[in-house]
Amino acid sequence: MSSSSLILFNKPYGVQSQFRDDSNNDHTTLSEYFTDKSLRIAGRLDATSEGLLILTSDGRINKAITQPPSAKNFAQNKLKQGKTYLVQVEGVATAAQLNELASGVVLKDGKTLPASAVLVAEAELPMTLWQRDPPIRERKNIPTSWLMLTIYEGKNRQVRRMTAHVGLPCLRLIRWSVAGFELGELGVGEFVRIHLNSGHCQQLGILD
């Protein structure tokens, strides 16, 4: 694995997690940022979500990141790969709502696996927020708050559906980390290539 690498990319709002535009809309694609056709996306983000997107040409890395643990062996799976999101929601989460998110909510495609859900002040977020373009739509006299939500699977639009289910509509969604790799202070549209060492391989559960 000494020659293997992955790319950490801070995906801007409005960019599709694909290289080819086949939707006949105005969204930008990854081809505006990358020309290497061997790259594959390890865990997509929808166009209206922002933050960490991992790309790699190594199938083992992709599988290690994207293959979630089954519900049956979740508690015993030491290699489960979490994805942490910073979620701005409408309203202020109660202890009951946080507990429901953490315990798992029942969506149309099944119950979500146990997660971690914490209410955080904007000043305590692990990164410096950038101005989103376009800005979020806030309703007058209705407060907003931030959650730090870690999940261990990848159902379609899962985080948005989870928060909506407990009565906290999602206004902004930023992925902060995937499988131990963090966004850090990467600027919007910036990326960095990480060459994997033995520690990274162990982190991903890949034999060197």
Side-chain angles (χ1 to χ4, degrees):
M1 293 290 291
S2 58
S3 62
S4 294
S5 65
L6 53 78
I7 290 173
L8 308 181
F9 175 52
N10 187 349
K11 188 190 84 66
Y13 179 94
V15 175
Q16 297 183 92
S17 295
Q18 60 187 52
F19 288 91
R20 181 178 177 180
D21 186 0
D22 55 8
S23 57
N24 296 318
N25 58 38
D26 296 328
H27 288 312
T28 302
T29 67
L30 295 175
S31 60
E32 296 288 326
Y33 299 88
F34 303 99
T35 57
D36 184 352
K37 295 183 179 180
S38 70
L39 289 173
R40 297 293 179 268
I41 302 157
R44 295 175 180 271
L45 282 173
D46 61 43
T48 56
S49 298
E50 309 161 74
L52 183 60
L53 195 68
I54 293 183
L55 302 98
T56 181
S57 302
D58 192 307
R60 291 173 295 176
I61 297 173
N62 194 307
K63 182 178 180 181
I65 292 174
T66 60
Q67 184 170 306
S70 67
K72 182 178 180 180
N73 69 354
F74 178 79
Q76 292 77 31
N77 192 327
K78 297 180 180 179
L79 299 178
K80 54 182 180 286
Q81 303 298 336
K83 298 184 286 285
T84 298
Y85 296 83
L86 309 178
V87 194
Q88 188 176 17
V89 297
E90 190 174 82
V92 179
T94 65
Q97 288 170 315
L98 293 173
N99 183 64
E100 188 174 0
L101 289 170
S103 300
V105 299
V106 179
L107 304 176
K108 289 184 178 180
D109 48 355
K111 185 176 181 179
T112 60
L113 291 174
S116 170
V118 181
L119 179 67
V120 292
E122 184 172 328
E124 296 175 351
L125 292 173
M127 53 174 276
T128 303
L129 287 175
W130 55 86
Q131 186 67 40
R132 200 189 80 171
D133 183 20
I136 66 167
R137 295 180 179 179
E138 295 186 64
R139 291 199 289 174
K140 189 176 181 180
N141 300 324
I142 297 181
T144 69
S145 59
W146 285 90
L147 307 179
M148 184 174 286
L149 182 62
T150 301
I151 62 174
Y152 297 93
E153 54 192 328
K155 298 179 185 294
N156 184 43
R157 298 176 69 85
Q158 179 174 338
V159 171
R160 295 180 187 277
R161 291 192 292 147
M162 287 176 68
T163 60
H165 182 86
V166 301
L168 298 167
C170 177
L171 299 173
R172 188 176 184 186
L173 183 60
I174 302 171
R175 187 154 64 191
W176 162 248
S177 70
V178 176
F181 295 96
E182 297 180 343
L183 186 63
E185 292 298 330
L186 274 177
V188 178
E190 294 182 348
F191 62 89
V192 62
R193 182 179 291 273
I194 304 294
H195 294 278
L196 300 191
N197 56 33
S198 58
H200 293 132
C201 294
Q202 184 176 14
Q203 174 180 318
L204 291 170
I206 300 173
L207 296 178
D208 196 350

